[in-house]
């Protein structure tokens, strides 16, 4: 498989199976329910891991949880540890509903403090970092390749955190001295405090995958400063680090980048409750992983319709064998899921059901072909709707149909009977 590498701007070929592939994907900062945009890197890179395993690779997929961060202190003053623990569980519960089962490790910052302190100490010893009044800063000028990943010019970068303690406004924090109101802190050679955001991922990746691994994934929005700083500090410590930097495009809410700060988001939980797992997974298939993806009722409705088309095909008879090689070609070429989805629809039209099931299973959509019984409450609503239609009360029948749809089911009428099928 070839994947686009942000650093080189080129497609880079992964080694042939059974080579071991280490994958590190930046996860959420946990202080509230995760929004649906957080699910995209989780889903995309889980799919990649599943594909590589299906083709004979040994894969270790690591997806971290950032449970030490300014946002957590701000969200839960005096109770940041409790909030982080709760929100971590919320996130893990939510992504488990996708049923992909691809992640091998979910390291947390709070479990990696020794490795973080050791890495910072190494950078100080190598003169790539310096301490000031309990803080430690990375010396950007000491890394000549700084800016190569993001395309930023070091001499034009604005200081995100003005601080007179810095030797250079561009320098960034590796360790922060404990401040009033921050209720969690750890002992270090520089005093009590806690790590900066960027060093956390460098340490967790090295602990789980070693100092060199194949793929580092995450959203396009964290190339700078997060991944730029990870690259600088890791390589300054002598770690070759990631061979491929893979950045997924942003999820946009009706055309705009989703943002918790302005409130135009829906949580993973809300989306799965409303649309179901199958529709949500199919929605993520519809755009190339490096491109933006618009989230709206219209795009989710279109995904639900596609899911139903594939579900209906699986209820039919197998008529032929499909060309599996076309599906392989789509995914081997920069993991092109829209092209792969088009092939799945071809399988459906041709009646190549073995290949259709095989492809759907890869993306966690194997349940599309499995009959599911409706809950008793939904079945009762469907019976009431059937009776309303028989009595000519079509307004009530329509109201009940909408209630059934909101519960995640579609009711179909045929020759004096009705059928319930999942809406996703």
């Amino acid at each position: 498989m070839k994947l686009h590498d942000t650093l080189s701007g080129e497609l880079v070929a992964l080694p042939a199976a059974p080579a071991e592939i280490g994958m590190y994907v930046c996860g959420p900062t946990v202080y509230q329910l995760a929004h649906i945009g957080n699910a995209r890197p989780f889903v995309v890179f889980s799919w990649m891991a599943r594909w590589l395993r299906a083709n004979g690779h040994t894969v270790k997929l690591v997806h971290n949880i950032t449970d030490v961060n300014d946002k957590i202190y701000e969200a839960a003053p005096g109770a940041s540890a409790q909030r982080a623990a709760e929100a971590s569980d919320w996130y893990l519960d939510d992504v488990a509903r996708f049923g992909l089962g691809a992640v091998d490790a979910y390291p947390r910052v709070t479990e990696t403090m020794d490795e973080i302190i050791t890495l910072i100490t190494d950078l100080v010893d190598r003169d790539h970092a310096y301490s000031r009044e309990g803080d430690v800063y990375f010396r950007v000028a000491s890394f000549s390749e700084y800016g190569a990943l993001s395309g930023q010019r070091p001499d034009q970068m604005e200081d995100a955190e003005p601080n007179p303690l810095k030797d250079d406004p561009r320098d960034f924090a590796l360790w922060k001295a404990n401040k009033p109101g921050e209720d969690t802190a750890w002992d270090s050679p520089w005093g009590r405090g806690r790590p900066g955001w960027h060093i956390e991922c460098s340490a967790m990746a090295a602990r789980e995958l070693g100092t060199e691994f194949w793929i580092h994934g995450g959203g396009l929005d964290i190339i700078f400063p997060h991944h730029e700083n990870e690259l600088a500090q890791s390589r300054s410590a002598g770690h070759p680090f990631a061979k491929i930097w893979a950045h997924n495009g942003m999820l946009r809410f009706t055309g705009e980048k989703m943002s918790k700060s302005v409130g135009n988001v829906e949580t993973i939980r809300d989306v799965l409750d409303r649309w179901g797992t199958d529709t949500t997974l199919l929605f993520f298939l519809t755009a190339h992983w490096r491109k933006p993806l618009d989230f709206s009722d219209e795009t989710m409705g279109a995904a639900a319709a596609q899911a139903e088309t594939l579900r209906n095909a699986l209820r039919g008879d197998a008529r032929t064998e499909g060309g599996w090689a076309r599906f392989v070609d789509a995914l081997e070429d920069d993991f092109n899921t829209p092209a792969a989805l088009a092939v799945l629809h071809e399988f459906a039209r041709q009646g190549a059901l073995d290949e259709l099931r095989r492809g759907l299973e890869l993306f966690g959509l194997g349940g599309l072909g499995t009959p599911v019984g409706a809950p008793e409450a939904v079945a009762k609503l469907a019976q009431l709707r059937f009776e309303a239609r028989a009595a000519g009360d079509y307004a009530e029948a329509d109201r009940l149909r909408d209630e059934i749809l909101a519960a995640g089911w579609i009711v179909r009428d045929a020759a004096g009977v009705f059928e319930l099928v999942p809406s996703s």
Side-chain angles (χ1 to χ4, degrees), residues 140 203 253 319 324 364 401:
V140 167
F253 193 68
R319 300 188 301 274
W324 184 250
R401 178 200 60 205

Side-chain angles (χ1 to χ4, degrees), residues 105-118:
Y106 291 96
R108 306 187 189 202
V109 175
T110 51
E111 301 167 345
T112 319
M113 209 57 63
D114 289 345
E115 291 84 353
I116 291 170
I117 292 171
T118 297

Side-chain angles (χ1 to χ4, degrees), residues 32-37 39 90-91 93-95 97-98 251 253 258 260 263-277 279-280 284 295-297 300 405-408 423-424:
Q32 61 183 14
L33 285 171
H35 65 80
I36 187 62
W90 298 339
Y91 179 72
D93 289 345
D94 290 346
V95 295
R97 293 175 61 182
F98 288 110
L251 200 67
F253 193 68
M258 297 180 72
K260 286 175 280 188
N264 65 334
V265 297
E266 290 195 44
T267 66
I268 298 172
R269 187 166 302 181
D270 288 343
V271 171
L272 292 178
D273 285 347
R274 180 182 179 193
W275 293 100
T277 299
T279 289
T280 306
F284 283 127
F295 177 88
S296 66
D297 285 351
M300 291 300 291
L405 184 60
S423 64
S424 58

Side-chain angles (χ1 to χ4, degrees), residues 211-328:
T211 59
E212 185 175 27
F213 52 94
W214 266 100
I215 300 170
H216 193 317
L220 199 64
D221 58 331
I222 57 174
I223 294 178
F224 186 85
H226 186 48
H227 285 173
E228 190 75 71
N229 291 351
E230 277 190 67
L231 175 63
Q233 65 204 9
S234 294
R235 292 199 173 169
S236 294
H239 301 180
F241 214 52
K243 297 179 181 179
I244 295 174
W245 290 85
H247 292 100
N248 63 270
M250 293 292 93
L251 200 67
R252 301 183 301 195
F253 193 68
T254 59
E256 297 292 335
K257 177 176 177 285
M258 297 180 72
S259 170
K260 286 175 280 188
S261 63
V262 298
N264 65 334
V265 297
E266 290 195 44
T267 66
I268 298 172
R269 187 166 302 181
D270 288 343
V271 171
L272 292 178
D273 285 347
R274 180 182 179 193
W275 293 100
T277 299
D278 290 340
T279 289
T280 306
L281 286 173
L282 202 143
F283 164 70
F284 283 127
L285 279 175
T286 59
H288 192 285
W289 64 276
R290 292 195 286 112
K291 303 299 183 182
L293 178 57
D294 288 339
F295 177 88
S296 66
D297 285 351
E298 290 75 20
T299 56
M300 291 300 291
Q306 289 200 58
E308 184 64 7
T309 296
L310 297 172
R311 185 180 290 112
N312 286 334
L314 291 168
R315 295 191 182 106
D317 297 323
R319 300 188 301 274
T320 185
E321 293 183 4
W324 184 250
R326 289 174 294 147
F327 185 81
V328 172

